[in-house]
C-alpha cells in the first residue's frame, strides 16, 4: 500500500528541524523505521556500513515522496561518526532525532567465544550508540528539542549463546536511562525499545544455522508468544514513531518491550 508522506518543511518559525538519523538502516528493522519516520514528515538519513543498502532504502523513500539520503559509515569509528553527522547536517539540516538501531551478532557459548566476537559486538552496539549520541546531541541541545531511541532486545534479560549480545543490549538500557537524566533539561528524551522475535534477515540466518526452514522457525516461535504471532519490522517502527513524537515528551528513560507479551 502506498503511503502518504507529510511535508518535511517546518510550518512554525524557529521550530526544531525535522531531521532524523537511523543507523543500520539498509534493511530490516532500520529500513522500516526510516520509512515510517519519512511518512511522519521527517527528512531521514539512513546510515549503514552497506552503502548500497542504505542508498537503495533511501531511494525507495524518495520515490514514494519522502526526503532521504543514504550514507555509509562505520559507527564504531569516531572520525567517521563526526564526518557522517556533519554530512547529514549539511544535506538535510541539523538532526533532532536519532535511532541507534545498528547491530550485529557473533553468537557462541562462552567457552567458544573469541575476544574478537566480544569486541565486535560491543563496538557496534555500545561504542556506536555512544559515538552517535554524543555527536547528534550537540544539534539537539542547540535547538532545545531532541529524541534518542536505542534498540535493545529481550536478550538483555539473558540468552544462551549470546553473552556478548545480551550484555551489549543490557548496557544500552543503562545508557538510555543515563542520557534521559543528563539531557532532559535540554528538551531531549531518551528511550529504548527491546524487541522480541522479529522476522528479519537476522532471524532467518538463525533458523538456517539451526537447520530449520524459516516458516517452521517462525511458527515454533509464535507458539510461545501470547499474541500468537512473531513481530514484523513495522511493529518496531510504529513504536519509534510514538517515542519521537511531540506527544511522547513526558516519556523518557523507559525501556519498552515490544515482544507480543510481558517480559521485564
Amino acid at each position: 500500500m502506498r503511503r502518504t508522506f507529510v511535508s518535511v518543511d517546518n510550518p512554525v518559525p524557529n521550530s526544531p528541524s525535522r531531521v532524523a538519523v537511523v543507523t543500520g538502516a539498509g534493511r530490516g528493522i532500520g529500513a522500516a523505521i526510516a520509512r515510517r519516520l519519512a511518512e511522519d514528515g521527517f527528512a531521514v538519513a539512513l546510515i549503514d556500513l552497506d552503502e548500497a543498502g542504505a542508498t537503495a532504502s533511501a531511494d525507495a523513500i524518495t520515490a514514494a515522496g519522502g526526503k532521504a539520503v543514504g550514507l555509509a559509515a562505520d559507527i564504531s569509528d569516531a572520525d567517521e561518526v563526526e564526518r557522517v553527522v556533519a554530512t547529514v547536517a549539511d544535506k538535510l539540516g541539523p538532526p533532532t532525532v536519532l535511532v541507534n538501531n545498528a547491530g550485529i551478532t557473533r553468537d557462541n557459548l562462552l567457552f567458544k567465544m573469541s575476544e574478537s566476537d566480544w569486541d565486535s559486538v560491543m563496538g557496534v552496539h555500545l561504542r556506536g550508540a555512544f559515538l552517535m549520541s554524543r555527536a547528534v546531541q550537540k544539534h539537539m541541545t542547540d535547538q532545545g528539542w531532541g529524541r534518542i531511541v536505542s534498540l535493545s532486545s529481550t536478550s538483555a534479560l539473558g540468552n544462551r549463546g549470546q553473552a556478548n549480545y545480551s550484555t551489549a543490549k543490557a548496557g544500552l538500557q543503562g545508557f538510555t536511562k543515563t542520557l534521559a537524566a543528563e539531557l532532559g533539561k535540554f528538551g531531549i528524551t531518551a528511550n529504548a525499545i527491546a524487541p522480541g522475535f522479529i522476522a528479519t534477515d537476522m532471524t532467518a540466518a538463525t533458523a538456517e544455522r539451526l537447520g530449520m526452514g524459516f516458516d517452521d522457525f517462525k511458527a515454533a516461535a509464535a507458539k510461545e508468544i501470547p499474541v500468537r504471532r512473531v513481530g514484523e519490522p513495522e511493529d518496531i517502527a510504529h513504536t519509534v514513531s510514538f517515542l519521537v513524537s511531540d506527544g511522547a515528551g513526558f516519556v523518557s528513560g523507559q525501556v519498552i518491550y515490544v515482544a507480543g507479551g510481558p517480559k521485564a
Side-chain angles (χ1 to χ4, degrees), residues 150-173:
S150 298
L151 270 290
S152 179
S153 168
T154 55
S155 292
L157 303 173
N159 197 31
R160 186 175 186 272
Q162 289 194 316
N164 48 6
Y165 188 79
S166 296
T167 300
K169 291 304 191 181
L172 281 173
Q173 296 187 14

Side-chain angles (χ1 to χ4, degrees), residues 6-258:
V6 179
S7 171
V8 298
D9 296 328
N10 270 327
V12 181
N14 301 318
S15 62
S17 64
R18 291 180 64 78
V19 177
V21 176
V22 183
T23 66
R27 60 179 182 169
I29 292 173
I33 292 169
R35 287 194 301 271
R36 177 56 192 262
L37 293 181
E39 291 163 14
D40 290 344
F42 287 93
V44 186
L46 294 82
I47 298 175
D48 203 290
L49 197 59
D50 173 17
E51 184 173 13
T55 300
S57 294
D59 288 346
I61 289 171
T62 302
K67 185 174 183 179
V69 294
L71 301 168
D74 176 358
I75 62 165
S76 67
D77 183 294
D79 291 337
E80 287 204 32
V81 166
E82 291 296 328
R83 172 190 60 78
V84 79
V85 171
T87 301
V88 172
D90 181 59
K91 288 180 176 291
L92 299 177
T96 51
V97 168
L98 169 65
V99 182
N100 290 311
N101 168 74
I104 61 171
T105 55
R106 297 290 185 269
D107 295 351
N108 224 326
L109 296 174
L110 179 61
F111 76 97
K112 294 181 180 179
M113 186 172 289
S114 68
E115 293 175 19
S116 175
D117 290 338
W118 179 271
D119 291 343
S120 295
V121 170
M122 295 300 158
V124 174
H125 292 269
L126 289 178
R127 181 179 170 84
F130 157 65
L131 292 173
M132 287 297 303
S133 299
R134 187 179 66 176
V136 173
Q137 61 85 29
K138 302 172 190 174
H139 298 285
M140 297 177 179
T141 54
D142 284 346
Q143 299 190 68
W145 192 94
R147 301 285 187 264
I148 299 174
V149 180
S150 298
L151 270 290
S152 179
S153 168
T154 55
S155 292
L157 303 173
N159 197 31
R160 186 175 186 272
Q162 289 194 316
N164 48 6
Y165 188 79
S166 296
T167 300
K169 291 304 191 181
L172 281 173
Q173 296 187 14
F175 180 65
T176 292
K177 292 177 183 294
T178 301
L179 293 188
E182 290 186 4
L183 300 176
K185 65 182 179 181
F186 301 108
I188 302 167
T189 66
N191 292 285
I193 297 172
F197 188 113
I198 307 295
T200 63
D201 290 345
M202 186 178 289
T203 47
T206 300
E208 183 177 0
R209 192 163 60 247
L210 295 174
M212 293 182 67
F214 194 32
D215 287 341
D216 291 338
F217 190 56
K218 289 188 290 185
K223 291 179 181 178
E224 305 301 319
I225 299 172
V227 300
R228 291 296 188 268
R229 72 170 177 89
V230 300
E232 298 292 338
E234 289 72 23
D235 290 311
I236 307 306
H238 294 320
T239 309
V240 171
S241 177
F242 166 68
L243 289 174
V244 306
S245 69
D246 285 324
F250 203 55
V251 180
S252 194
Q254 303 305 303
V255 180
I256 300 176
Y257 283 81
V258 183

